[in-house]
Amino acid sequence: MTLAPAPEVSAEARERGLQKMIVEAGFSNACAAVTTGVILTAFALYLKASNFAIGLLAAAPFLMQVLQAPTVLLIERLRARKRIAVWASVTGRTALGLMAVLAVIGPSAATVSTLLALQFVYCAMGAVGGCAWNAWIKDLVPEHRLGAVFARRTTYATAVSLAAGLVAAFTLDRFGSGPMQAWTFAGLYAFGFVFGQISVAVVARIPEPGMPPPGETIRLLPLLRAPLKDRNFRRLIAFLASWQFAVNLATPFFTVFFVRQLGFSMTFVMGLSVLTQVANLVALRSWGLLSDRFTNKSVLSVAAPVYIVCIAGMILASQLTDRTMIGVYLVGLHLLMGLAVAGVTLTSANIALKLSPTGSATAYI
């Protein structure tokens, strides 16, 4: 195993790398399933975090994306994307192990502040590693196979995430209250830490095609201006900016809304999350085939509006009076959201990869 780029990647080594990409997705998504989303919000509520703190936890992944800009310069100068991705992942996922310790310490203002700090470290390293990973994988996966490869990877990742989510839901339901509550959260974050590090070990065994030698002195601003000169890429950036704003204005607080306002249990909320993943899993392969057969833009133009309508539809949940009716309504919404988000995630990533030039994709991605 070496972290250095390969001057040339053989067809056989490339296929092995693509298989390892699938395996890695399972470990990384198992890690995420038990440490982010509903679990993270439940953990914050256990530590007596305020709504403002919960909002910061949800915003951290997006606030830290700004670190992709200096990472572009780092990648262009070191020209070793795998090495950057591996070390960033090791550092970031170590924060999950420290979060497990916070669970044992228990609720206090200090533990909430430390959780926020660790979340920002985790997300910062995720932004750095993700920037390097995306540019690296762009050069590894053949362009004509993007839809099929990423649909398969995402399908496997979603299946593993679904299983891990079910285990987490059962664990929270059985031990998530009373004297075992602290150890339950500690166990979930310890599990995430271990699986996160296994993911890093698999990533380290995926080959990295070498980048072409730099032609001139590398400066950050010219690198970042290059994608903005591409009219189509500007359109993609505008879409992603408006999409992320719309989605993340509301979705981080769905858990708080369901638990505090509608009075549902955390187990029910986890069940909704699992349903979304099931729908995502069912839809992914079909979206991938459709994106390869027609266009990514066609799929995106259908999936994105459906998801936004579902977010707006959450308003009606507070207007219904029958508790059973509310539950059925939320189940239907989450199934539809799972179908839609699968199409948006897959096709927006494919469009970004296709618009990025081979060998110089870092600034674009």
Side-chain angles (χ1 to χ4, degrees):
M1 179 187 71
T2 177
L3 299 183
E8 184 177 345
V9 178
S10 67
E12 183 181 355
R14 188 182 300 272
E15 288 302 319
R16 286 199 302 268
L18 296 180
Q19 291 299 319
K20 286 184 173 64
M21 278 179 58
I22 308 298
V23 173
E24 183 278 331
F27 288 109
S28 61
N29 278 268
C31 168
V34 299
T35 58
T36 61
V38 174
I39 299 296
L40 179 60
T41 303
F43 186 32
L45 291 173
Y46 158 70
L47 293 178
K48 310 299 183 188
S50 65
N51 282 340
F52 178 71
I54 293 172
L56 277 179
L57 288 171
F62 308 101
L63 292 172
M64 291 296 98
Q65 293 304 309
V66 70
L67 292 179
Q68 290 206 34
T71 303
V72 170
L73 189 59
L74 180 66
I75 291 170
E76 292 294 335
R77 289 184 174 174
L78 296 182
R79 311 190 83 73
R81 297 164 293 188
K82 179 161 77 168
R83 183 174 288 115
I84 293 170
V86 166
W87 285 112
S89 297
V90 168
T91 304
R93 285 164 179 171
T94 297
L96 298 177
L98 298 176
M99 290 181 189
V101 176
L102 292 182
V104 178
I105 295 174
S108 72
T111 52
V112 171
S113 298
T114 306
L115 175 64
L116 283 168
L118 291 173
Q119 172 73 349
F120 273 86
V121 170
Y122 176 67
C123 295
M125 292 299 99
V128 172
C131 182
W133 164 265
N134 287 330
W136 159 23
I137 295 306
K138 155 67 180 175
D139 291 350
L140 181 67
V141 182
E143 184 170 321
H144 68 280
R145 295 174 58 189
L146 279 175
V149 169
F150 279 95
R152 183 182 173 197
R153 183 177 191 271
T154 309
T155 299
Y156 179 70
T158 305
V160 173
S161 182
L162 172 61
L166 286 171
V167 171
F170 173 79
T171 304
L172 280 177
D173 185 43
R174 183 73 184 272
F175 306 108
S177 60
M180 291 298 295
Q181 190 173 22
W183 293 105
T184 298
F185 283 112
L188 289 173
Y189 277 85
F191 177 91
F193 167 74
V194 170
F195 272 62
Q197 299 301 340
I198 295 174
S199 164
V200 174
V202 177
V203 165
R205 287 167 172 78
I206 299 174
E208 177 196 0
M211 297 174 65
E216 56 185 25
T217 302
I218 300 169
R219 294 185 176 89
L220 180 59
L221 289 181
L223 277 173
L224 295 179
R225 277 199 299 265
L228 297 178
K229 294 178 181 178
D230 185 328
R231 185 180 180 185
N232 281 334
F233 205 82
R234 286 201 307 271
R235 290 174 174 172
L236 176 64
I237 290 173
F239 164 74
L240 290 175
S242 58
W243 170 262
Q244 293 292 349
F245 180 85
V247 170
N248 291 289
L249 182 66
T251 53
F253 289 94
F254 281 168
T255 299
V256 179
F257 173 56
F258 298 153
V259 173
R260 289 184 174 175
Q261 269 67 50
L262 299 183
F264 286 104
S265 67
M266 190 59 67
T267 302
F268 178 76
V269 177
M270 278 298 301
L272 293 176
S273 177
V274 168
L275 281 175
T276 302
Q277 293 175 55
V278 170
N280 192 303
L281 178 63
V282 171
L284 268 172
R285 180 173 175 79
S286 297
W287 286 132
L289 293 174
L290 287 172
S291 67
D292 283 340
R293 182 175 179 182
F294 299 102
T295 65
N296 288 294
K297 185 177 176 181
S298 298
V299 172
L300 191 60
S301 65
V302 173
V306 170
Y307 192 83
I308 295 298
V309 168
C310 287
I311 291 179
M314 288 292 173
I315 297 171
L316 294 178
S318 62
Q319 305 304 309
L320 299 175
T321 56
D322 183 77
R323 188 174 177 81
T324 302
M325 182 69 71
I326 296 174
V328 172
Y329 180 72
L330 290 177
V331 167
L333 273 185
H334 278 75
L335 287 172
L336 197 56
M337 288 169 69
L339 294 172
V341 78
V344 174
T345 303
L346 181 67
T347 54
S348 60
N350 284 349
I351 291 172
L353 289 171
K354 287 190 174 183
L355 291 177
S356 306
T358 300
S360 305
T362 310
Y364 283 74
I365 304 276

